Amino acid sequence: MTGRTTPTLGESLANPKDILRWAFWGPFRDWLDPRRPQQLRALWPLWPLLYRAAGSQKRRMSDEYHRIFGDRLSSAGYLCLIREAYRVAFRAHLEELLMGRLDPITMPGFLRLHGRANLEKALERGRGAIILSAHAGSFMLPIAALSLLGYPYTQYAARGMPPQQVAREHADAVPTSWWAARARQAREENEDRLPARFITLKTPTRELFRRLAANELVALAFDGRIGNRWVRAPFLNRQALLNPGAYRLSASTGAAIIPTLCRTPAGTTSICALGSPIFPRGRSWRQIMAEFLERHAEPWLLAHPEEYGTWLAHCRLRNRIDDHPLFVDHAEDDRWKRHPSLYP
């Protein structure tokens, strides 16, 4: 299958986290039964274990939140927000274990879809639709939900292990051991059991055009870190580097963008909100991008920041690896300045 990882013995020694990660995505996943949602719910109260084991990740997350909210939150408010972020992350990890094992009957027990009529409205035009999401909450479950409902679905995503040179140079930020590779393989094999197609940067972009021309769904994460083009944009009270690919695709094909954002309310089923379609209507990709960020992504994430904490911390850890950090206020050099601005 496209993007499947072949485990190899990495150059770094495995740490206990690598082995636990493999056990989580392998033997533990096999124990779960999607026909028994109460089995998973019984584990929800264990989220403080993830919080206590987070170590330096909590410091990175705290600094990221402070850069977004400044003095608008008290010390107690920040502590509550970070704890909520780990509750969400724990739930999201658990729910992702069921990818590839769900079916149309069991799916609603783990994710409720809101706004499906918005998706149908976009597809009525026969130009396909672009599912544009954030790495927030249980962001993988919509892939299962929509593909199991019968929508032809293509997900554009990073897959596999990082290049060996990157792994060697940044072993502290990138898991490279044999156990880490096995965990990655287990995750991707689970995803490949879905009636969805996964493609990576190695696939020519014309494949995305073909899928939209066939009135299918193409899905991307607007805050993903793969790609070759980046644009500076105001985002979450900071300056971010974001990939303009989805908006260029919409402007070129006429396909509507469906803002797709996930929420993980305490004590009840996760929610995927399919927002109102953003129709290109002959506008430039810059105008489409501005509408998505200003009217959809940013207000939603500011209202539900707990859903975004682990992605903020993850990107902060990797900003030494990429020449396009998510936020430029902690970039380690000036390479980000060569990228154009959304508002020239």
Side-chain angles (χ1 to χ4, degrees):
M1 301 293 291
T2 302
R4 179 171 294 177
T5 304
T6 300
T8 57
L9 185 61
E11 295 187 4
S12 65
L13 295 176
N15 60 44
K17 287 185 178 180
D18 290 338
I19 298 173
L20 285 173
R21 189 179 290 114
W22 165 81
F24 183 78
W25 293 105
F28 179 68
R29 182 191 68 84
D30 294 338
W31 172 75
L32 293 174
D33 185 350
R35 295 167 298 180
R36 299 169 58 198
Q38 70 278 9
Q39 186 185 41
L40 201 68
R41 291 185 176 220
L43 300 173
W44 288 357
L46 298 179
W47 68 263
L49 296 176
L50 182 63
Y51 175 80
R52 295 185 189 118
S56 61
Q57 186 188 53
K58 282 187 285 192
R59 292 192 294 274
R60 293 194 301 273
M61 187 184 298
S62 176
D63 186 63
E64 288 294 296
Y65 278 139
H66 276 82
R67 290 170 186 255
I68 293 171
F69 292 107
D71 59 4
R72 280 172 286 178
L73 294 179
S74 64
S75 297
Y78 277 113
L79 178 60
C80 181
L81 175 56
I82 292 168
R83 287 176 62 85
E84 271 293 281
Y86 280 98
R87 179 192 65 79
V88 168
F90 188 76
R91 275 269 305 276
H93 288 323
L94 285 175
E95 290 168 353
E96 191 177 340
L97 288 174
L98 299 175
M99 294 276 289
R101 305 187 69 194
L102 295 164
D103 58 37
I105 296 175
T106 57
M107 186 74 239
F110 301 95
L111 184 74
R112 288 180 286 160
L113 284 176
H114 290 180
R116 187 175 170 187
N118 290 326
L119 180 56
E120 295 293 342
K121 182 179 179 181
L123 293 174
E124 284 175 359
R125 301 166 68 246
R127 298 183 181 182
I130 299 170
I131 301 293
L132 196 56
S133 64
H135 286 87
S138 292
F139 61 89
M140 293 295 288
L141 283 191
I143 305 173
L146 292 172
S147 64
L148 287 169
L149 284 171
Y151 293 101
Y153 193 108
T154 297
Q155 179 73 44
Y156 184 71
R159 303 191 95 197
M161 296 294 284
Q164 284 296 316
Q165 181 177 351
V166 172
R168 285 194 298 268
E169 294 174 355
H170 303 280
D172 58 332
V174 180
T176 58
S177 73
W178 183 88
W179 293 102
R182 286 295 300 270
R184 169 62 67 176
Q185 182 183 36
R187 291 181 66 174
E188 294 179 1
E189 287 179 346
N190 206 26
E191 295 166 1
D192 287 337
R193 294 187 181 99
L194 291 170
R197 184 183 183 199
F198 290 83
I199 64 173
T200 69
L201 190 62
K202 296 178 181 179
T203 306
T205 55
R206 61 178 177 270
E207 182 61 24
L208 302 179
F209 285 82
R210 290 194 188 106
R211 302 279 63 83
L212 292 174
N215 203 30
E216 298 179 4
L217 303 184
V218 166
L220 307 93
F222 82 89
D223 54 357
R225 311 320 298 156
I226 63 171
N228 299 313
R229 291 184 177 181
W230 305 94
V231 174
R232 284 181 281 154
F235 182 58
L236 299 181
N237 303 318
R238 301 162 76 181
Q239 282 288 314
L241 289 180
L242 301 171
N243 193 312
Y247 318 104
R248 290 177 177 272
L249 188 62
S250 175
S252 298
T253 64
I257 288 175
I258 304 294
T260 304
L261 297 160
C262 294
R263 191 158 57 89
T264 318
T268 189
T269 310
S270 293
I271 297 168
C272 171
L274 301 168
S276 300
I278 300 174
F279 294 106
R281 296 191 178 95
R283 294 178 296 167
S284 71
W285 66 264
R286 291 180 185 273
Q287 292 171 313
I288 299 169
M289 184 175 182
E291 178 177 348
F292 174 82
L293 293 177
E294 294 171 9
R295 298 187 184 180
H296 297 275
E298 186 170 54
W300 192 92
L301 289 171
L302 288 174
H304 305 286
E306 70 281 358
E307 306 286 344
Y308 210 42
T310 49
W311 185 246
L312 292 172
H314 170 79
C315 291
R316 179 63 174 269
L317 179 63
R318 293 180 61 92
N319 73 346
R320 287 170 294 154
I321 301 173
D322 300 327
D323 64 353
H324 48 275
L326 177 58
F327 293 105
V328 302
D329 54 19
H330 50 58
E332 298 202 353
D333 54 47
D334 290 338
R335 288 179 292 174
W336 61 270
K337 292 183 178 179
R338 72 176 187 269
H339 300 295
S341 172
L342 176 62
Y343 301 105

